[in-house]
Amino acid sequence: MSLYITDECINCDVCEPVCPNEAIFMGEIIYEINPNLCTECVGHHDKPQCQLFCPVDCIPLDPNHPETREELQAKYEKLTAQKTASK
């Protein structure tokens, strides 16, 4: 599953810079996570960095985007290949 940010978000700006996939962005009201870019930090870290740093614990798993660890790993590899190709 990718992650998502609930409306408990206080816009503290901590999650966005720690996301290795650049999946977090400022939405209209609060930060949001692009599920196409979120790998729950699979391939980068053992735990999702946004969840570790979030002071209000408002970043749960997104039930609308279920993914296995294997799918997250494949997404990470695809995103990494795209970044390498665009350099």
Side-chain angles (χ1 to χ4, degrees):
M1 292 188 186
S2 67
L3 302 167
Y4 77 104
I5 298 174
T6 70
D7 60 8
E8 295 169 2
C9 175
I10 59 171
N11 291 330
C12 69
D13 304 325
V14 174
C15 62
E16 191 263 341
V18 299
C19 178
N21 295 316
E22 298 175 1
I24 300 174
F25 62 95
M26 177 50 85
E28 287 187 32
I29 300 171
I30 58 172
Y31 278 95
E32 297 179 27
I33 297 177
N34 180 338
N36 298 322
L37 298 177
C38 178
T39 64
E40 294 176 42
C41 289
V42 168
H44 295 282
H45 303 284
D46 291 335
K47 295 183 178 170
Q49 298 300 287
C50 59
Q51 285 182 332
L52 285 175
F53 287 92
C54 180
V56 292
D57 194 25
C58 68
I59 309 176
L61 289 171
D62 186 347
N64 295 321
H65 295 94
E67 293 173 291
T68 65
R69 185 159 183 87
E70 291 76 24
E71 289 171 323
L72 292 169
Q73 180 67 36
K75 189 193 306 185
Y76 159 76
E77 291 169 7
K78 180 181 171 189
L79 291 170
T80 302
Q82 288 173 347
K83 277 188 181 176
T84 304
S86 66
K87 285 186 179 178

